[in-house]
């Protein structure tokens, strides 16, 4: 069964450094998402992406964050200058459609900011 | 905004039945998802309800009452591997993005 893959599984970065999290969505999916989950807390939406542009973003997704689909398969999340509070599990998800269709999540990247 | 409430933790015995409730307050309801999340892993899709009633899928069923802002996930013939967090997520308003509840941690013991 096709799946969403994310790399790396764990990223440790110094505060203030840039970090790029990578995702390969399911190949025939059209909608792409990033979520984060701080340890012990709920899954929070960051951004959705469709047709090569951001379709929706949350208040969390400020100017420090950006997304890109550099080629036909990868979908990346960049955090420009990381803060301690960016430490979380970051999940990429993809879907065939929007409402009525489930999102398929990757296994996540655990980001630890020191 | 949305307010989604689920119990924090539940325990049950292997082989038993457990019902996990979710209540929500929202405007422009568009659907409700249930996801399962094992510790340190990704959420995996269990069910989707948009109309009132019960959706059955093997050992798992999900119920929705839109007028009451209420859903439950019913797990039958519990197995040890069902120990996980169960996330209720609601889609509403003009957005198609699900808002997740805090999840219910289910512990299944022998």
């Amino acid at each position: 069964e096709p799946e969403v893959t994310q790399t790396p599984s764990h990223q440790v970065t110094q505060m203030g450094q840039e970090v790029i999290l990578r995702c390969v969505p399911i190949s025939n999916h059209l909608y792409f998402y990033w979520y984060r989950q701080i340890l012990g807390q709920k899954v929070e939406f960051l951004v959705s992406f469709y047709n090569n542009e951001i379709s929706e973003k949350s208040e969390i997704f400020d100017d420090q964050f950006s997304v890109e689909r550099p080629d036909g398969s990868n979908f990346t999340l960049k955090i420009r200058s990381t803060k301690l509070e960016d430490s979380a599990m970051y999940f990429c998800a993809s879907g065939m459609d929007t409402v009525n269709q489930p999102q398929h999540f990757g296994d996540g990247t655990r980001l630890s900011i020191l | 905004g949305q307010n989604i409430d689920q119990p924090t933790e539940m325990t049950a015995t292997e082989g038993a039945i457990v019902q996990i409730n979710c209540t929500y307050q929202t405007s422009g309801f568009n659907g409700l998802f249930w996801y399962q999340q094992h510790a340190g892993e990704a959420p995996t899709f269990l069910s989707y309800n948009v109309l009132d009633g019960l959706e059955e899928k093997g050992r798992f069923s999900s119920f929705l009452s839109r007028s009451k802002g209420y859903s439950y996930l019913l797990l039958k013939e519990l197995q040890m591997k069902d120990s996980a967090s169960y996330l209720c997520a609601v889609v509403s308003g003009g957005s198609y993005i699900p808002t997740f509840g805090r999840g219910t941690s289910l512990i299944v013991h022998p």
Side-chain angles (χ1 to χ4, degrees):
Chain A
E1 186 174 330
E3 57 183 27
V4 176
T5 57
Q6 290 185 243
T7 54
S9 56
H10 192 186
Q11 173 81 45
V12 182
T13 302
Q14 291 286 333
M15 186 172 59
Q17 295 296 306
E18 174 183 286
V19 66
I20 298 176
L21 309 182
R22 303 182 190 279
C23 170
V24 179
I26 294 173
S27 61
N28 61 342
H29 284 184
L30 302 175
Y31 297 83
F32 315 117
Y33 310 86
W34 282 102
Y35 291 85
R36 79 173 184 191
Q37 187 175 30
I38 296 170
L39 187 63
Q41 298 189 25
K42 63 182 179 180
V43 174
E44 299 175 292
F45 167 72
L46 294 178
V47 65
S48 62
F49 195 85
Y50 170 72
N51 199 26
N52 285 320
E53 60 183 23
I54 290 173
S55 48
E56 196 167 339
K57 61 182 181 179
S58 72
E59 292 175 352
I60 302 168
F61 193 87
D62 61 20
D63 292 344
Q64 292 298 312
F65 291 88
S66 62
V67 289
E68 195 176 39
R69 189 156 163 81
D71 52 45
S73 60
N74 290 284
F75 179 51
T76 62
L77 174 70
K78 181 193 291 186
I79 309 175
R80 259 179 278 280
S81 178
T82 50
K83 303 187 283 288
L84 293 176
E85 53 265 38
D86 293 328
S87 295
M89 183 75 95
Y90 287 79
F91 291 108
C92 174
S94 68
M96 282 284 289
D97 204 332
T98 53
V99 185
N100 302 343
Q101 294 294 322
Q103 296 176 18
H104 298 262
F105 285 75
D107 285 338
T109 293
R110 180 167 297 285
L111 178 63
S112 300
I113 307 300
L114 305 179
Chain B
Q2 300 176 20
N3 191 26
I4 301 171
D5 288 314
Q6 306 178 234
T8 303
E9 188 175 291
M10 300 181 71
T11 59
T13 306
E14 193 175 14
I17 298 173
V18 72
Q19 178 175 311
I20 301 174
N21 295 326
C22 172
T23 58
Y24 60 89
Q25 294 88 43
T26 188
S27 57
F29 176 82
N30 284 330
L32 186 146
F33 292 91
W34 283 97
Y35 281 84
Q36 179 192 62
Q37 186 179 26
H38 285 99
E41 298 183 12
T44 55
F45 169 74
L46 292 177
S47 68
Y48 174 72
N49 295 72
V50 65
L51 300 176
D52 291 350
L54 188 68
E55 295 279 342
E56 297 187 77
K57 194 184 291 186
R59 292 191 299 116
F60 293 4
S61 304
S62 57
F63 171 83
L64 175 68
S65 169
R66 289 172 295 171
S67 62
K68 295 181 180 177
Y70 168 68
S71 173
Y72 67 72
L73 181 69
L74 191 72
L75 292 77
K76 303 176 187 174
E77 301 169 18
L78 280 172
Q79 301 173 9
M80 299 296 289
K81 67 178 182 180
D82 296 330
S83 293
S85 188
Y86 290 86
L87 314 181
C88 173
V90 176
V91 182
S92 67
S95 172
Y96 55 85
I97 304 300
T99 298
F100 285 82
R102 293 189 174 276
T104 298
S105 177
L106 174 66
I107 301 168
V108 180
H109 54 83

